[in-house]
Amino acid sequence: MTSQRWRRIEELYHAAREHGPAALEGADPGIRAEVERLLKQDSESGGKLLDQSAADLVTGLAETPITPGAQLGPYKIEAMLGQGGMGRVFRATDTRLNRPVAIKICKDQFSGRFEQESRSIAAINHPYVCTLYDVGPNYLVMELIEGETLTARLKRGKLPLDQTIRYGAQIAEALAVAHAKGIVHRDLKPGNIMLTRSGVKVLDFGLAKSIEDPSLTNTGVLGTPAYLAPERLEGKEAGARTDIYTLGLVLLEMAAGKRSKSPEDLPPPLVRVVKRCLETDPDDRWQSARDLKWELESIPSVPTPASPPSRAAFFVFALAIVALLLAVLAVLYFRQQPPSPPIARLNVSLPANAHVRSLAVSPDGRTIAIVLVKDGIQQIWLRPLDAPDAAPLPGTENASNPLWSPDSRSIAFFADARLKKIDRSGGPVQALCDALGVLGGTWNRSGDILIGALTRVQRVPDSGGPVSDLPGRAVTQLYPALLPDGRHFVATRNTWSDPAQNGIWLSSMDSPETRRILPDVSDAAVVGPRAGGSVGAILFTRAAGLMALPFDMKRLEAAGDPFPVAQGLVSDGNGRWLASASSHGVLAYVSGQSSTWQYTWKDRQGKDLGVFGSAGGVVMISPDGKRLVGDPHGDITVVDFAHGVATQVAFKPHGGMNPVWSPDGRYVAYYCGAGICRKRADGAGAEQLLIKTNSLAVPKSWSPDGRYLIYAQIFPDRGADLLALPVEPLAANPQPMVLSQTTGNEDQGQFSPDGHWVAYTSNESGLSEIYVIPFPPTPNGGKWLVSKGGGVMPRWRRDGKELFYVSPDWKMMEVNVTARPVFQSGAPRALFDTHMVDTGIRTGPLSWDLAPDGNRFLIITDNAAGAPSLNVILNWCPTQQN
């Protein structure tokens, strides 16, 4: 049956119900016969036909013989509760748990739609969705819900406005959870919505279709005729906005008490919401069920229009209006406004001997997520403001840059080159996407997470999935923060190619338009406006001070000059100041003595042998052991150990990063913005471009014979790969050799002293580990796992007999190795706690090196002195400049 034919049947069916058989005059005989059959079925069913699916309207229900008292596995059937498109529903008892359940028995054993329903329901766990307990040979076992269907409730008349809004928001929340998992309901209707004491329960995902499973595509028009969206009547696929259309019809029916597609008689705020739900073009509807939920919850309580007032009531109403106008005039005249709640400041205690790496205030302003390093373990600690202490969140080891979900229930974070998510109460950790070199993120109500990638701000669904680009040209933007509308965001631009363009920029998820609002290279936070206002603030840092730029969130422009909020902020040592804010005026920042990074010598027992210098994220000792090269503040610098003399090799504005020595100590190679360059280590002469790249490519190790340079390149579509560049002799168009390329990220490649092996880091197993492969690589050359339980930053001892790496809990690990006749490695052994800095990318910069004698370790450490102080400001707003 074509969608056009079914549409005509539906139209005539409704017309005949409303106007009688005369409406069928002149209709096509076949269509008329079908309509008359449906009308007869409707009469026999007591007017309940519209609560069946379209497939059953056409084919009728095939009965499955079963009676009360029957046993289905451990389930004892008690009574029939109803019937639907897939079969009948019975009340039963789980004899193992003595638990009442509902069992839906499928009319076709193991049909495709039956398996589809079980997968759809099992993927959802939410208080507003019916819970699936078990699946049998041809039945589903679900929670038994006490209550009544929305269909039954509507027979008693329309719902009050507050109930309509509350139930509608709950249904929208249920759909949002399903849509986030790629599931579309496709048959939402009052008969599939139960009303209970605790709220709604959305039932019967029997027509649901997983967006991610193309094998489940149906070409027929499935769904209840009265609730089909226009695109479904045209035979097109259902999407999330199809469910939004149907929910609009359900909202209208709840508020009006009857099926209708005209919301004009409803209160204006609800009219606006429903009208957008019912737009013919899906692109014109609410773009997500989360947005619809938020819009419903934002509707004020408006009384339902009553019958026309009497003459006396009219005069009372007029007097009330006059009184109201006088009150408004009085307020305007005397400029009296409700006082803002006073600003409150408090100091929050932190665990002893812990170092703060980053922090994030929850959107509701009640909890601070703090990344702490304590006892060698870096993880997220949660500090509710109404609790006396912070507590670690298991499963967040190696976390950095946490970000909250808009409802403050979940936390996303970066760890092991991936973006992960966990419930604030704990539980399993879900990996959402690869996130190598990503700094910062933000989360909106539509289920989008924006991450600050190296090439541009990118988007990933909060349910996990592929990363996609936003409109606009590729340019590095880090630490994005969304504005209250959930579509515009601010982010930090800090480019190598054009430093004059650096600063805080305002961009949109929906268009390539962007503009700079501040010149400061700083991560930013957003504080929304007070209720009824439009001016909030963009928070940023300047010279260790927390600053605020008043910002009109509707006009998207500055509403005043920046002013200071707090002083003495502490930096994480990597250029990011430790501050965060909620959208409702709760600010948190760390004050005290700012830390800097320095070089520290340690022996094999971890004893400090001395500290010196100002360090960046990378250090490498020269082949003769007399110098080091590093990248403090983005400048390539060579330091002489004997005299402490520093020679700057590459300068700003372009500078450089990730330097490595040539085997003869004459040159240093580094990332120079355009690609990989080399320059004489004494600073003389011009730099030479070894290879031009269109994405970040950083050198890692130079082969002992000087012929090859290992580097890691980050590709936006697949992560980091490890390659070897021929440099002696250097060709005009060199062709790199692929060393390791997997679905994971490969980095930190290090040549063995004899040049025949390469140790490197890869997270292809889901955890960053140390591997060794032969060089040059061969198809059957083999690969050996060296680390156990995770590892990063491998380095070889100069005689090739030991391999060192850093464990997940920041310990220096040592492994005995032999390379002849085949590669072999022993059991890893912990030497000491490194107290190494965290650059934010454990699989990137190598923050330590080994002296030629094999007994001294040069490690970049944090010289933080004294306990930092976590400060919290409550009830802050941009109009209170103090």
Side-chain angles (χ1 to χ4, degrees):
M1 180 178 294
T2 65
S3 61
Q4 292 82 2
R5 183 177 177 86
W6 175 249
R7 190 173 189 174
R8 181 59 177 159
I9 291 173
E10 183 196 12
E11 291 173 351
L12 288 175
Y13 173 84
H14 289 294
R17 282 185 53 134
E18 184 172 355
H19 303 292
L24 301 180
E25 294 293 337
D28 176 271
I31 291 179
R32 177 169 181 166
E34 185 63 42
V35 172
E36 289 174 343
R37 187 179 73 83
L38 296 178
L39 290 170
K40 182 180 178 181
Q41 285 182 268
D42 185 60
S43 177
E44 294 171 350
S45 67
K48 298 180 179 179
L49 188 61
L50 284 182
D51 287 334
Q52 298 176 343
S53 70
D56 291 329
L57 290 174
V58 177
T59 63
L61 178 63
E63 294 286 341
T64 302
I66 194 166
T67 59
Q71 195 84 14
L72 288 178
Y75 306 104
K76 183 178 180 180
I77 303 297
E78 296 178 354
M80 190 173 79
L81 297 175
Q83 59 186 23
M86 291 184 58
R88 290 185 292 172
V89 182
F90 293 84
R91 178 187 178 97
T93 298
D94 185 340
T95 57
R96 299 166 301 180
L97 304 175
N98 194 29
R99 174 174 61 183
V101 295
I103 296 183
K104 175 177 284 188
I105 300 176
C106 183
K107 60 184 180 182
D108 296 319
Q109 186 172 9
F110 290 112
S111 69
R113 286 177 60 198
F114 175 84
E115 294 179 359
Q116 173 184 321
E117 177 171 4
S118 64
R119 286 198 302 270
S120 298
I121 301 177
I124 305 172
N125 182 17
H126 192 272
Y128 299 144
V129 178
C130 181
T131 302
L132 175 66
Y133 291 142
D134 193 8
V135 179
N138 71 328
Y139 58 85
L140 295 172
V141 183
M142 300 170 287
E143 65 173 314
L144 181 65
I145 301 171
E146 299 294 340
E148 63 177 345
T149 66
L150 181 55
T151 297
R153 168 61 185 84
L154 287 171
K155 290 179 180 179
R156 301 196 302 272
K158 63 183 179 182
L159 276 63
L161 179 60
D162 60 339
Q163 286 189 9
T164 297
I165 293 172
R166 183 169 72 254
Y167 290 154
Q170 292 173 357
I171 298 167
E173 183 173 338
L175 291 176
V177 172
H179 294 168
K181 296 180 179 296
I183 298 167
V184 179
H185 192 290
R186 297 207 305 175
D187 194 28
L188 188 68
K189 58 185 178 182
N192 282 337
I193 299 166
M194 290 286 292
L195 305 181
T196 73
R197 291 183 177 181
S198 58
V200 305
K201 286 281 187 178
V202 179
L203 313 175
D204 198 359
F205 278 75
L207 295 178
K209 168 182 170 288
S210 174
I211 296 171
E212 298 177 353
D213 191 349
S215 68
L216 297 179
T217 299
N218 291 294
T219 57
V221 180
L222 299 176
T224 302
Y227 300 95
L228 286 178
E231 63 268 22
R232 299 297 294 136
L233 291 171
E234 295 173 1
K236 296 180 180 178
E237 283 299 309
R241 282 169 279 181
T242 304
D243 283 347
I244 289 175
Y245 180 93
T246 309
L247 180 49
L249 293 176
V250 173
L251 284 167
L252 187 54
E253 191 169 348
M254 286 193 290
K258 60 182 179 179
R259 293 190 184 98
S260 172
K261 294 187 178 181
S262 175
E264 301 300 338
D265 295 333
L266 303 181
L270 188 57
V271 169
R272 182 183 68 86
V273 172
V274 172
K275 272 190 172 181
R276 188 166 178 184
C277 289
L278 300 182
E279 290 287 351
T280 302
D281 188 343
D283 289 338
D284 294 333
R285 298 173 198 156
W286 300 110
Q287 296 302 290
S288 74
R290 288 182 182 272
D291 281 349
L292 176 54
K293 171 180 177 289
W294 185 84
E295 291 292 337
L296 286 167
E297 292 176 339
S298 301
I299 294 177
S301 180
V302 180
T304 304
S307 58
S310 65
R311 184 177 181 86
F314 174 79
F315 284 112
V316 172
F317 177 74
L319 288 174
I321 291 296
V322 171
L324 178 61
L325 289 174
L326 289 174
V328 171
L329 289 173
V331 170
L332 292 175
Y333 182 80
F334 291 107
R335 295 286 191 259
Q336 293 177 347
Q337 296 184 3
S340 299
I343 286 181
R345 299 176 184 268
L346 60 132
N347 186 271
V348 175
S349 61
L350 294 174
N353 302 317
H355 298 285
V356 182
R357 297 298 191 196
S358 55
L359 71 159
V361 180
S362 63
D364 61 14
R366 298 178 179 178
T367 306
I368 306 174
I370 314 167
V371 176
L372 293 175
V373 179
K374 181 173 172 57
D375 300 328
I377 300 175
Q378 178 170 316
Q379 64 186 140
I380 295 175
W381 290 59
L382 296 183
R383 177 54 160 86
L385 294 184
D386 59 356
D389 298 301
L393 184 58
T396 61
E397 289 73 20
N398 300 324
S400 65
N401 297 317
L403 54 139
W404 288 88
S405 62
D407 59 8
S408 300
R409 294 179 180 176
S410 302
I411 302 172
F413 59 93
F414 301 93
D416 301 317
R418 286 182 169 88
L419 175 63
K420 302 181 179 183
K421 180 177 73 172
I422 189 173
D423 190 272
R424 64 175 296 168
S425 61
V429 175
Q430 178 187 358
L432 301 181
C433 66
D434 287 336
L436 183 64
V438 171
L439 292 177
T442 185
W443 199 334
N444 70 11
R445 292 186 299 269
S446 300
D448 299 310
I449 294 179
L450 305 186
I451 56 177
L454 291 170
T455 55
R456 65 175 75 200
V457 171
Q458 295 179 305
R459 169 170 47 195
V460 63
D462 61 9
S463 58
V467 175
S468 59
D469 291 335
L470 298 179
R473 69 186 184 93
V475 60
T476 301
Q477 292 192 86
L478 307 174
Y479 304 113
L482 282 156
L483 270 57
D485 64 6
R487 308 305 295 176
H488 291 88
F489 63 91
V490 291
T492 304
R493 184 176 296 184
N494 189 8
T495 64
W496 293 75
S497 58
D498 191 2
Q501 295 296 308
N502 291 345
I504 298 175
W505 288 68
L506 174 69
S507 305
S508 171
M509 293 176 59
D510 306 310
S511 76
E513 296 181 5
T514 183
R515 57 186 169 87
R516 191 170 72 166
I517 59 174
L518 284 165
D520 302 80
V521 178
S522 162
D523 52 305
V526 176
V527 177
R530 288 281 172 87
S534 63
V535 176
I538 307 297
L539 297 180
F540 64 100
T541 52
R542 179 184 292 172
L546 182 62
M547 305 287 293
L549 172 68
F551 198 81
D552 192 311
M553 300 297 174
K554 292 183 178 179
R555 296 178 178 272
L556 301 178
E557 60 185 24
D561 296 325
F563 62 89
V565 178
Q567 297 295 327
L569 271 67
V570 169
S571 167
D572 64 356
N574 197 20
R576 187 184 186 194
W577 300 95
L578 298 175
S580 178
S582 79
S583 57
H584 299 297
V586 176
L587 279 57
Y589 63 95
V590 179
S591 63
Q593 181 177 346
S594 290
S595 61
T596 57
W597 294 352
Q598 62 189 6
Y599 301 108
T600 300
W601 282 109
K602 291 180 180 287
D603 63 15
R604 279 182 170 259
Q605 289 71 46
K607 180 181 177 181
D608 288 350
L609 304 177
V611 298
F612 66 96
S614 176
V618 173
V619 63
M620 188 175 185
I621 299 174
S622 63
D624 61 9
K626 296 180 180 180
R627 294 168 294 169
L628 70 80
V629 65
D631 56 357
H633 315 297
D635 298 318
I636 305 300
T637 304
V638 173
V639 178
D640 179 86
F641 286 134
H643 305 95
V645 177
T647 301
Q648 207 162 326
V649 176
F651 299 83
K652 286 183 173 62
H654 300 298
M657 59 187 295
N658 280 77
V660 299
W661 289 99
S662 64
D664 58 9
R666 294 179 58 200
Y667 292 95
V668 173
Y670 51 92
Y671 176 69
C672 58
I676 297 176
C677 295
R678 74 175 177 184
K679 191 176 180 183
R680 285 183 49 166
D682 59 8
E687 67 182 14
Q688 179 185 14
L689 183 65
L690 300 179
I691 184 171
K692 180 178 177 61
T693 62
N694 55 10
S695 61
L696 181 65
V698 289
K700 299 296 177 178
S701 178
W702 214 313
S703 64
D705 59 10
R707 296 177 57 195
Y708 292 95
L709 182 67
I710 291 178
Y711 69 97
Q713 184 167 356
I714 298 179
F715 297 91
D717 58 339
R718 66 173 185 268
D721 295 335
L722 207 60
L723 303 101
L725 176 71
V727 291
E728 290 294 344
L730 182 64
N733 185 25
Q735 298 300 310
M737 175 194 310
V738 176
L739 298 184
S740 184
Q741 185 180 76
T742 71
T743 56
N745 294 299
E746 287 73 44
D747 206 329
Q748 302 177 333
Q750 296 292 296
F751 276 113
S752 63
D754 62 7
H756 296 307
W757 306 93
V758 173
Y760 68 99
T761 303
S762 174
N763 68 348
E764 59 187 288
S765 68
L767 180 67
S768 296
E769 299 274 14
I770 306 298
Y771 297 88
V772 169
I773 56 175
F775 184 85
T778 59
N780 300 315
K783 180 169 68 174
W784 290 265
L785 175 64
V786 175
S787 58
K788 298 293 187 294
V792 295
M793 304 187 202
R795 296 282 199 186
W796 298 84
R797 200 171 81 181
R798 298 290 175 98
D799 60 6
K801 295 182 179 180
E802 285 181 303
L803 191 60
F804 301 87
Y805 67 89
V806 178
S807 68
D809 58 353
W810 300 96
K811 289 183 171 58
M812 183 63 67
M813 307 296 292
E814 175 264 346
V815 181
N816 292 319
V817 298
T818 57
R820 293 286 184 261
V822 295
F823 181 84
Q824 293 181 316
S825 62
R829 181 173 66 93
L831 297 181
F832 57 86
D833 288 325
T834 62
H835 301 293
M836 187 179 298
V837 300
D838 175 24
T839 63
I841 313 174
R842 285 171 54 88
T843 55
L846 284 92
S847 302
W848 76 279
D849 200 3
L850 187 68
D853 61 15
N855 293 316
R856 291 176 299 133
F857 301 80
L858 186 59
I859 298 173
I860 299 176
T861 61
D862 192 328
N863 74 340
S869 177
L870 178 59
N871 307 277
V872 178
I873 303 176
L874 305 177
N875 304 321
W876 183 88
C877 75
T879 60
Q880 295 168 289
Q881 300 184 19
N882 55 12

